[in-house]
Every structure is written in structure tokens, then in C-alpha cells.
Amino acid sequence: MTSVNSDKLSSARFAQATDAFVEEFTASVDFDRRMAQQDIQGSVAHATMLASCGILTEQERDAIVAGLAQISEDIVNGEFVWSVKQEDVHMNIEARLTDMIGVAGKKLHTGRSRNDQVATDIRLYLRGEIVHIAAQATRLQVAILDLAEQHVDTIMPGFTHLQVAQPITFGHHLMAWFEMLSRDQERLRDCCKRINVMPLGAAALAGTSYPIDRDLTAHLLGFSGPSANSLDSVSDRDFAIEFAAVASLIMMHLSRFSEELVLWSSAQFDFIDMPDAFCTGSSIMPQKKNPDVPELVRGKSGRVTGHLVSLLMLMKSQPLAYNKDNQEDKEPLFDTVDTLVNCLRAYADMVPHISAKKDNMYSAAKRGFATATDLADYLVRKGMAFRDAHEVVGSAVRLGLESGRDLSELALPELQQFSVLVDADVFNHLTLEGSVAARKHVGGTAPERVKDAIQVARKRLALSFP
Ligand code: ARG
């Protein structure tokens, strides 16, 4: 043992003070002080409930509430002195309260443990952060809708296997991103239901012998109600894992989004121009304009998924009920929140300034025989079986490849040599415009459908976030 300290928590139990390194090693105040305001909010509700149940006097409650209000202000103003000796955010605040108001401060912890306290703090914290996350996601959705509206009839190639597949509209492609985010928003709301349950009253693990009113505390804190089992209440971190899973999904979506922006802004694709303010230059190659924001977001998606895995591993072998392992939940969780908010924000700021290079998109769609399926569908409508039509079109594509022309540039007699079913009206189907316009069913890429989809999406957004 190197050296010892003397202000140990529950010091009467211990003959020796904590090793100085162990004190540092086990402390969490450097990071869990982020939940100070939630800790105070929980304590105010707890003290209010204790007084209402006759466990504290009204004077004691008033002293506690006033003291906590002062501490809250000091923290906001940066005047609160945090100490590693007090281990964590909970003990720091309680110790300061006792310094300020004396014996009433020592009564605050009646019928409570740090185990139910910390679980409550994390839930309050996450509930608040999800509001910010959802707001940034909504900003991004609005930006996507605005951009999609400008491009309901901008034609581009749609890809499968990153090979030109069929023509689509850029608006339709953007709306695919919108849909991913809509599901993300739904998942955020859903996971909130399980976050918003109150553990206070579970105390250390077995509940408390005081005549507490858990419904009142839950009501005061805006929780949907008290948790059902005291052991589960202090040990459960499912809600944090669920949140990290939702965050990982959102980041995975942003990462795919990023990958496309990086590709599209390359000289090889040249489909979009990225706003200068969101790119940087190279220190050596003067011609470069690098899509740093999408690349960084793509990179950060790995780190959020890493946090999800950390949390799963953290929990997987813990016996009931609370274990100190749980202290390790906070850093991955906080970093998940920060990373997610920042990435969504960067995207919401950037997307309105992306400009599409329509001509390049159009000619890329033309180069890739994107209307081959339309020719096959045309033959099918004239009575040919789809598999035969597939063959016929394959031959037409070969002729196009050999002669360096798109299907719409082949002459009518050239097409007719592959099938007698081909008539002059075939060219209505071989143009990119004809191809997208034909896909006018629900969920299709036709400009009129994309317009509808945008309208429906705007209504849905307004309904979920009035
Ligand atoms: N700092 C602890 C945590 O983050 C608070 C709960 C500690 N409880 C205990 N019995 N040691 O989980």
C-alpha cells in the first residue's frame, strides 16, 4: 500500500483508510458529475416524498430543497468544488449539502441507496438527451425533405451491387434516407417508454422499511410509474443498451449516407458538390477538396457500435443485484450521446447545402443501360414470357455495348431483329423519363409519387413532433 486517505465513506466500518490510488481508481466523479442536475432533481423529489409521508419534517425538507437549489446554481456557475475523495456525483452533492445545512442534509439519504439513485439519474439524463437527439434528427429529416422537393424529377442511376441498375429520381433516393430516419425516430420513442420507469424506492436492492410513496416520487419526476421489482430496478441497464442499439442503428444509417456522399463527390461519380464549409483541403495536394464530415461520421459509427458492445459485455455476467461494474456504463453512454448528437447536427447543417449535378447524374443513368428492364417489361406486355424477354434484351444490350450506344439510341430495325414484337412506341419506354414515370405505384420513383411521398412525410413529421 502506497499511501492512505482518511475521509472514507462509511469510515467507521474501516480500520484502514483507502489506498490513495484505489480512491482515484474507484472514483467516478470526473465523469458522472455530468448527471449533477438530474441527481439534484431526484433528491428534491425524494425529500418531498419523504416529507409528505412524515419521514422528514417540512422544515427539513425545505432546508434540503433550498440547499440543493443553491448547489445547483453553484454547479451551473462553475463554483462547486468537486472532490475525488467523495467518490461520485451523489456523495459530492450530499456532502456539500450537509456542510451547508447540517443534520437535515444527513437525512436526505433515508430510504434510499446510491444504487437506486444512480439508476434514476441515468434514466432522467437519457430521457432529456433523447429530446435533443430527436430534435436534431428531425432537423435532418426536414433538410432531406427540402432537398428532395427540389429533385422530384432529377434523374439519376439507381444502383444494385454499385452497378447502374435502373433510373430513379434523386428525390426518391433522398426519401429512402428519410424513411430510415423515420424508423430511427420511432425506435427512440419506443425505447423512451422503458427508460421512463422509476427505480427510486428499491434502495440498495431489497426496498426499504420506511412507509414511502413511490407513486408520488414517480409522479414528481414525470416517470410513468415505479419499477416493479427492487432487485431488477438497481441492476437493470437494458434501457441503456437499448438506447445504444438505437444509436448504433442511427449511426449505421448516417454511415451509409456518408459513404454515398463520399462516392458521389468523387471525380469518378461527380454527382454532387459538397459545400466548402463542410470540406477541407489537403496539406500537400492543392487540388483536393475532401469530404471530411461524411468521412468522420462514417468513422464515428464504429465507435458507437463499440459502445453498444461494451455495454452488453459489461452486463452479461453480473449476478443480481447492483455491482460496481455498473459504474462502467457511464462513459460509453455519455460518448454515445455526444457522438450521436454531433453527427446528426453536422448532417442537418450540411444537407441543405448539397448541390446535385443534374447533367452528370442524367448521363450516368444513360450510360448504364438503365432502361433494359423497361424493354423487357415492354416485350412482356406484348405477350412474351419474362425469361425470353430477358434474353432478347441481353442481345440488344450487347449490340449497344459493341456500338457504344444506349438502348434508346438503337434504330428501330436494329431492335426489331431481336423480336418482331418491337414497334415504334418502344422508344417511349426506353427513355429515362418514361422509365421513371412508369413506376407510379405506391413507393415508386415516379416524380408524381415522390411528390406525394414528400407531402405524406411532412404530415407525419408534424404529427409526431407538433
Ligand atoms: N458511482 C456508482 C455508480 O456509478 C454509484 C453507485 C454506487 N453504489 C455502491 N453501492 N457502491 O454506479
Side-chain angles (χ1 to χ4, degrees):
M1 213 176 265
T2 43
S3 61
V4 291
N5 278 306
S6 52
D7 304 331
K8 191 182 179 83
L9 178 65
S10 317
S11 56
R13 163 71 178 77
F14 291 84
Q16 272 185 335
T18 315
D19 176 87
F21 172 71
V22 170
E23 190 172 83
E24 294 267 352
F25 182 68
T26 53
S28 55
V29 63
D30 284 346
F31 49 85
D32 65 15
R33 52 195 262 200
R34 181 191 276 234
M35 305 187 301
Q37 295 302 335
Q38 289 79 11
D39 196 70
I40 289 170
Q41 198 190 344
S43 290
V44 168
H46 180 65
T48 307
M49 179 279 289
L50 290 178
S52 137
C53 297
I55 304 164
L56 288 182
T57 65
E58 288 184 357
Q59 290 78 355
E60 287 166 337
R61 176 202 59 203
D62 291 346
I64 289 171
V65 171
L68 289 171
Q70 182 61 53
I71 291 173
S72 165
E73 210 179 300
D74 291 349
I75 293 171
V76 170
N77 296 334
E79 282 157 15
F80 191 88
V81 184
W82 297 99
S83 162
V84 170
K85 285 195 191 322
Q86 295 298 338
E87 193 180 320
D88 56 24
V89 60
H90 325 292
M91 296 310 303
N92 267 269
I93 291 174
E94 191 186 314
R96 175 75 190 116
L97 182 68
T98 302
D99 278 352
M100 285 167 70
I101 66 167
V103 72
K106 295 188 189 178
K107 295 189 178 181
L108 171 62
H109 214 49
T110 311
R112 180 176 85 169
S113 151
R114 279 184 298 158
N115 299 352
D116 57 348
Q117 188 178 356
V118 69
T120 305
D121 292 2
I122 307 172
R123 286 168 185 269
L124 289 172
Y125 162 79
L126 216 45
R127 191 178 77 181
E129 291 299 328
I130 284 180
V131 175
H132 299 304
I133 293 165
Q136 292 298 340
T138 304
R139 280 187 62 224
L140 174 54
Q141 285 183 293
V142 171
I144 290 173
L145 286 178
D146 292 344
L147 192 61
E149 205 147 59
Q150 297 166 35
H151 294 289
V152 285
D153 50 14
T154 301
I155 290 176
M156 68 179 287
F159 299 88
T160 59
H161 312 273
L162 205 58
Q163 312 281 325
V164 171
Q166 291 173 344
I168 56 169
T169 55
F170 185 39
H172 194 54
H173 194 117
L174 289 165
M175 289 304 288
W177 291 342
F178 179 91
E179 288 303 323
M180 297 184 208
L181 287 164
S182 299
R183 292 193 295 276
D184 292 333
Q185 296 270 26
E186 233 175 270
R187 278 185 273 265
L188 281 173
R189 282 195 290 273
D190 188 59
C191 104
C192 253
K193 290 185 214 150
R194 284 172 295 279
I195 290 174
N196 204 28
V197 176
M198 191 201 64
L200 276 178
L205 78 164
T208 174
S209 55
Y210 296 98
I212 57 170
D213 179 352
R214 298 188 68 212
D215 287 311
L216 174 59
T217 324
H219 171 74
L220 290 172
L221 290 171
F223 283 114
S224 60
S227 53
N229 178 290
S230 65
L231 267 80
D232 184 42
S233 311
V234 293
S235 76
D236 171 35
R237 293 294 181 273
D238 294 3
F239 66 92
I241 295 173
E242 266 190 65
F243 168 75
V246 175
S248 300
L249 267 166
I250 300 175
M251 288 301 298
M252 179 273 282
H253 289 155
L254 292 184
S255 180
R256 297 184 67 180
F257 201 155
S258 298
E259 175 65 12
E260 297 196 325
L261 294 180
V262 171
L263 278 174
W264 293 351
S265 60
S266 71
Q268 288 68 29
F269 273 81
D270 206 17
F271 283 2
I272 56 167
D273 212 5
M274 292 286 286
D276 283 0
F278 294 82
C279 297
T280 61
S282 153
S283 58
I284 174 168
M285 296 164 284
Q287 83 283 12
K288 297 280 300 274
K289 176 172 152 187
N290 296 327
D292 284 42
V293 169
E295 285 174 312
L296 201 54
V297 168
R298 189 176 58 188
K300 284 180 188 290
S301 70
R303 141 185 191 162
V304 171
T305 305
H307 293 326
L308 167 63
V309 176
S310 294
L311 290 172
L312 282 165
M313 292 303 104
L314 173 67
M315 298 310 296
K316 80 170 183 57
S317 302
Q318 284 195 46
L320 290 173
Y322 176 88
N323 302 281
K324 181 77 168 177
D325 310 41
N326 278 3
Q327 186 165 292
E328 283 287 299
D329 62 0
K330 290 172 203 63
E331 286 160 297
L333 197 59
F334 295 162
D335 189 67
T336 298
V337 167
D338 292 343
T339 307
L340 186 57
V341 173
N342 290 339
C343 291
L344 284 167
R345 179 185 160 172
Y347 257 76
D349 290 347
M350 178 179 71
V351 166
H353 306 289
I354 293 174
S355 61
K357 298 185 168 180
K358 294 186 183 187
D359 294 346
N360 294 351
M361 287 181 167
Y362 191 88
S363 47
K366 238 181 150 174
R367 269 198 311 274
F369 298 98
T371 56
T373 319
D374 296 274
L375 178 55
D377 290 342
Y378 169 84
L379 293 169
V380 168
R381 275 196 298 275
K382 298 236 165 175
M384 194 181 283
F386 184 78
R387 274 291 153 240
D388 295 332
H390 192 276
E391 274 300 299
V392 166
V393 178
S395 310
V397 167
R398 177 127 51 86
L399 175 63
L401 277 172
E402 283 163 6
S403 56
R405 286 172 298 166
D406 177 56
L407 289 178
S408 62
E409 290 159 351
L410 298 179
L412 184 57
E414 285 177 304
L415 287 168
Q416 283 170 332
Q417 67 182 330
F418 301 115
S419 169
V420 292
L421 296 174
V422 176
D423 278 321
D425 65 342
V426 72
F427 292 105
N428 302 336
H429 303 267
L430 294 185
T431 61
L432 300 175
E433 290 78 3
S435 173
V436 295
R439 288 160 169 77
K440 53 178 191 271
H441 51 77
V442 175
T445 192
E448 50 175 308
R449 265 303 168 188
V450 176
K451 242 182 246 167
D452 289 350
I454 294 170
Q455 252 181 21
V456 171
R458 283 204 197 279
K459 274 195 205 119
R460 254 160 53 195
L461 260 194
L463 283 179
S464 33
F465 300 99

